[in-house]
Amino acid sequence: MSNISTDLTLEGSGTATISAGHRPPTGQAQAVNWVTVTLRTDCLRNANWHR
């Protein structure tokens, strides 16, 4: 299985993690490609955030 991941940060706004991977086929399972994006924001839950 091969995976890659990167973290991105924008000061005052939040962070993002982007991950992708590939699992090759086996005798019983097909190949699988996947992508995951996780976002964490500083502003959406903060009613006092003004920029």
Side-chain angles (χ1 to χ4, degrees):
M1 184 179 337
S2 60
N3 298 325
I4 189 165
S5 181
T6 189
D7 293 318
L8 308 167
T9 301
L10 181 58
E11 290 296 323
S13 292
T15 60
T17 301
I18 303 169
S19 304
H22 172 78
R23 186 184 73 205
T26 64
Q28 298 178 2
Q30 295 180 340
V32 174
N33 297 308
W34 55 269
V35 174
T36 302
V37 177
T38 304
L39 300 174
R40 292 169 296 279
T41 64
D42 296 337
C43 59
L44 289 179
R45 293 188 178 172
N46 182 352
N48 295 322
W49 188 83
H50 301 287
R51 203 166 214 212

